[in-house]
Amino acid sequence: QVQLVESGGGSVQAGGSLRLSCAASGVTYRRNCMGWFRQGPGKEREGVAAIYTGGDSARYADSVKGRFTISQDNAHNTLYLQMNNLKPEDTAMYYCAAEGICGGNWWWRSDLYKYWGQGTQVTVSS
């Protein structure tokens, strides 16, 4: 049974930091395309960061470049998203996703990710 369990969300003030974690089980963690997506109030789900777990290839949405960093711990099948200099517009539910397609424009195709976590809420106040 596949499980993606996110944690680390919370409420912070603008300029603060949070680190999200996604513990993966039941998936082939290595050589997997995994990503973080978010959905803010009244907004569509959007890709934030994605990584190919078989190497170091990563992609970031323009809105988070230089502030967010995606990383992984292969030994523990865990994906991370370090979020620095948070802004109110980063407020959203953040989801971990697995078994997407890494390459070209496919990184941000949420419909191509096979597995999803339940999400963790991030709220940034001004």
Side-chain angles (χ1 to χ4, degrees), residues 11-121:
S11 297
V12 296
Q13 290 190 328
S17 298
L18 286 171
R19 188 175 80 155
L20 306 184
S21 299
C22 172
S25 61
V27 295
T28 303
Y29 184 83
R30 296 179 186 273
R31 298 184 181 181
N32 200 324
C33 186
M34 299 188 70
W36 287 98
F37 289 76
R38 67 185 181 187
Q39 188 165 15
K43 298 181 180 179
E44 293 186 355
R45 187 171 295 189
E46 63 174 349
V48 174
I51 190 168
Y52 175 61
T53 60
D56 291 327
S57 296
R59 294 292 184 274
Y60 296 92
D62 289 342
S63 58
V64 306
K65 280 181 182 176
R67 300 189 298 121
F68 290 12
T69 303
I70 190 170
S71 63
Q72 56 177 329
D73 179 350
N74 284 339
H76 296 94
N77 290 1
T78 302
L79 187 72
Y80 300 102
L81 184 67
Q82 178 67 43
M83 306 185 295
N84 297 328
N85 190 21
L86 282 161
K87 303 176 180 181
E89 51 263 42
D90 295 318
T91 295
M93 184 72 79
Y94 283 71
Y95 299 92
C96 173
E99 294 198 11
I101 298 178
C102 287
N105 292 326
W106 306 102
W107 298 82
W108 308 124
R109 288 282 303 274
S110 60
D111 59 313
L112 297 180
Y113 282 79
K114 189 173 182 180
Y115 300 107
W116 292 83
Q118 292 299 308
T120 185
Q121 178 67 38

